[in-house]
Each structure stands twice: as C-alpha cells, then as structure tokens.
Amino acid sequence: MLKSAIEKILPVFLVNRLIKIKQHATLLKNYIYDKKRYSKYSGTIALDSPKKLEARLIASYHVLEKGLSMPDPREGFGKDTALYLIGMLDHYNQKKYDLNSGQYLSAIQVLDCYIDLQKKYNCNMDDVEAGLAKIRNGAKPTQGGSKEVTRNELINQSTANFEKLANSRCSIRNFDNKAVDLDLIKKAIKIAQRTPSVCNRQSARVYIVKDKINVERISKFQNGNRGFRHLIDKLLIVTSDLQVFEGANERYQGFIDGGMFAMSILYALQYLGLGACALNWAVTRERDEELRQNVPIKDSENVIMFIAVGHLPKTLKVAFSKRRDVDQVIEIL
C-alpha cells in the first residue's frame, strides 16, 4: 500500500532504490544487534562467568582427548595445552566456582590419562603433575580421556535402534586403507535429504572430495585434523546456499538448516557402517577466502563444516568426552 502510494510520486527505479537502501539498513541494524550480544555474552572479551571459563576448560581438555584418540599419539604432544588447562583449572578454583562440576572433574580425569600416556613414552611430566596436584583438591575420577572400541561394536550399535545409534556416535580419527565407494556416500546424503529445512527450501549442498591427494591438500585449510588427515579417504564439504533466503529475519537460517543437514549425514554414514569426524569451519574471513581460492565453492554458499570419512579399522580409540547432565540443558517453562 505504501509502495503504491510512493510510486505515484516517484519513478519506479527510485522506489526500488529506496527499498534496497531500507533493506540494507535493516540488515545492518540486525547484525549490529548480534555483534553487541556476542561481544557481551561470549568469552571473546573476558572470561568473567563460570560458564565462560568452563567452556575454555572443555575446549582445552578436548584438545588432549583428541590427541589421546589418535592412531599414533605423538610423544610429548599437547604439553603446552596441559599446562594452560592447569592454569585455567587453578583460576576456576580461585574463583570458588563449583568444584563438583562434571566438566571440571572431567578436565582432571583427562589430565590423568594424558600423564599416564606420556609416562609410557618416558616424557618428563613433573611440571604437569605438580600443577595438577595443587588443584586436584580431592577430586574423584569421572568420564574423560579416550577409550578403545571395535568396529563390530560400533556397527552393531548403529543398526540396532536410533537411541543406540545416537549414544554410540563418536568422532572417528582412525581409518583403514580401504577406499569408500562413492555410492555409499551418495546413499548417506540421500538419507540426509529427509532433514527438515525452512519452508522445504533445501539450501544444503555437499562437495565430495574423492582423490586422496586433494583430500589431504584441502583438509589442511581446517586445523582440527592434523594428526590423522593422511588417513582420510573422502572429504565432504557441507554448504548452504544463501540464494534461497531473504530478509534480516533469515540471516542465520542457512547455518541452522546446513547444520541439521550435516548432523543427518553423520548419522547416515554411521548407520551405513562408515567412520566419520565432524570438522568445524570456525574461521575468519581470510581463511574462508583462502579456501574459496583453492576449491570451486560457489560464492553464494556459506561453508558449514567439513566431514572426514573412511572405513573403520578393526579396533580404534575414540574420545570419551563427558556430556552435561540432562538437567543442565533443560528448563521447564
């Protein structure tokens, strides 16, 4: 109604120009709103709350967990991370935050596992052990570190029912040398196409990197696979096409739809007996542009994540990460 009234006064091209200016202004206002909230509540500026500090504990101990689950853990790996984690635990302790927190206790358990492994290599862990002793504070062991599983265990769990499939899902960082059939990858993606998307717009896309040389070359753009990228047989790059969205209200819908689609792929690959590892694409603009210069990803698509794929070996180690208690993640209104 307003547009038709304005059109009676101004030429059509000026009306369209004004509409575009208004849309740009609306987008900018909403992104500024997001920026303010992220700056205020994320741990970017300061670790000034228990939840922010706990998140740093989790991120740090998971680095060690990943190292512990590698097929051939490197002698002496992660010592700087272990010492940093001890410093964060000490800070957490001094702030008098909850020392019975499952994540706090899990961090201590991971450090115990880390020290045990490094001692097998005869690495000097005196400084790590001394630091841990100061902040242990009678903490009892809990879940954390890595555990050994078998291919048959994972496959049997994955084909039993959805609850068992979900509970047995883990990031696989060890693959055997058997090539993965592309038809099996396509089957997993076809299963994932049942994932809901806003208004059924189906924005998700998948780039399949099939050549081992390219897999290793492209996976280097993502930092979380250094210890096992030589074992990855196929690499999937999940994206979401911005062309199917519009308006400030849908500015992040592509990440939501693409993330759901990626999770469905992970479950489908597991159901089909393959191993997979979700590799985040949490990068700055410069790294995103660098990837696009080396991989023909359409400019209209946002990269959601990488997924490493391969066949499961007979036995392997996986990270044994502590999950939050269910009461910590629900709020009944």
Side-chain angles (χ1 to χ4, degrees):
M1 188 173 177
L2 178 62
K3 182 180 176 182
S4 59
I6 294 172
E7 283 177 342
K8 291 178 181 178
I9 305 170
L10 298 173
V12 173
F13 81 91
L14 277 179
V15 172
N16 290 335
R17 183 79 178 271
L18 288 171
I19 289 171
K20 285 182 180 179
I21 290 171
K22 182 181 178 181
Q23 288 169 336
H24 279 294
T26 302
L27 275 174
L28 181 61
K29 181 175 71 174
N30 279 272
Y31 277 115
I32 290 172
Y33 166 79
D34 296 333
K35 185 267 176 190
K36 286 180 179 178
R37 294 187 68 252
Y38 189 73
S39 296
K40 182 176 180 180
Y41 295 110
S42 74
T44 307
I45 308 301
L47 299 176
D48 54 3
S49 74
K51 187 154 283 189
K52 290 179 183 180
L53 187 52
E54 185 181 75
R56 295 316 313 150
L57 295 180
I58 296 170
S60 298
Y61 80 61
H62 192 55
V63 170
L64 299 179
E65 280 186 322
K66 288 190 287 186
L68 291 168
S69 68
M70 293 294 177
D72 298 300
R74 180 171 50 83
E75 180 180 337
F77 82 89
K79 191 171 183 180
D80 287 344
T81 300
L83 291 170
Y84 173 80
L85 176 56
I86 288 169
M88 287 292 99
L89 287 167
D90 185 46
H91 183 53
Y92 187 97
N93 217 324
Q94 289 181 26
K95 287 284 187 179
K96 301 188 185 304
Y97 294 151
D98 181 14
L99 300 184
N100 292 315
S101 158
Q103 299 301 331
Y104 177 86
L105 297 175
S106 188
I108 291 175
Q109 172 69 11
V110 172
L111 283 166
D112 280 334
C113 294
Y114 171 76
I115 291 168
D116 287 344
L117 175 67
Q118 295 299 353
K119 280 185 171 180
K120 290 178 183 177
Y121 291 133
N122 294 317
C123 290
N124 187 332
M125 289 285 120
D126 289 349
D127 46 353
V128 179
E129 287 187 275
L132 181 56
K134 288 180 182 177
I135 51 91
R136 185 180 292 279
N137 206 22
K140 296 178 182 178
T142 186
Q143 183 176 320
S146 65
K147 65 177 181 178
E148 190 170 280
V149 295
T150 68
R151 176 173 60 204
N152 288 342
E153 278 181 87
L154 292 176
I155 291 174
N156 290 339
Q157 292 286 313
S158 300
T159 54
N161 56 54
F162 182 74
E163 183 180 7
K164 288 186 176 179
L165 181 147
N167 284 328
S168 64
R169 193 213 65 78
C170 47
S171 294
I172 306 298
R173 298 179 176 88
N174 188 6
F175 307 107
D176 73 10
N177 56 12
K178 181 183 176 184
V180 176
D181 193 317
L182 276 176
D183 286 338
L184 209 51
I185 302 278
K186 289 179 182 178
K187 186 174 182 180
I189 293 170
K190 187 173 182 179
I191 293 170
Q193 284 185 287
R194 299 302 302 175
T195 305
S197 62
V198 62
C199 304
N200 194 36
R201 286 182 231 166
Q202 303 176 59
S203 70
R205 301 289 182 269
V206 185
Y207 294 81
I208 304 172
V209 186
K210 64 176 184 176
D211 178 77
K212 286 280 285 185
I213 295 174
N214 278 331
V215 165
E216 193 155 355
R217 177 180 66 84
I218 294 170
S219 64
K220 287 179 181 178
F221 291 104
Q222 200 277 344
N223 292 327
N225 62 86
R226 277 178 291 183
F228 67 100
R229 68 170 59 118
H230 60 289
L231 299 173
I232 301 171
D233 186 69
K234 299 289 187 293
L235 184 69
L236 310 185
I237 304 175
V238 182
T239 70
S240 182
D241 197 334
L242 290 169
Q243 293 181 94
V244 308
F245 305 108
E246 63 177 276
N249 54 308
E250 294 187 348
R251 64 193 181 280
Y252 293 125
Q253 192 63 45
F255 293 107
I256 296 166
D257 288 4
M260 291 170 63
F261 188 82
M263 187 70 248
S264 293
I265 291 176
L266 288 166
Y267 278 140
L269 290 168
Q270 182 181 348
Y271 172 74
L272 295 173
L274 295 171
C277 185
L279 302 169
N280 73 71
W281 189 244
V283 300
T284 59
R285 164 188 162 182
E286 290 78 12
R287 178 52 63 94
D288 192 75
E289 289 177 340
E290 191 180 358
L291 175 70
R292 292 173 187 276
Q293 289 165 8
N294 287 270
V295 182
I297 295 169
K298 294 181 177 65
D299 285 343
S300 65
E301 295 173 11
N302 276 331
V303 178
I304 305 299
M305 65 190 303
F306 289 10
I307 300 176
V309 184
H311 280 287
L312 296 165
K314 286 184 179 179
T315 61
L316 65 155
K317 285 186 176 181
V318 296
F320 193 40
S321 304
K322 169 71 177 173
R323 293 305 196 251
R324 298 185 191 278
D325 295 333
V326 68
D327 289 335
Q328 292 180 299
V329 300
I330 62 174
E331 189 167 335
I332 299 172
L333 304 177

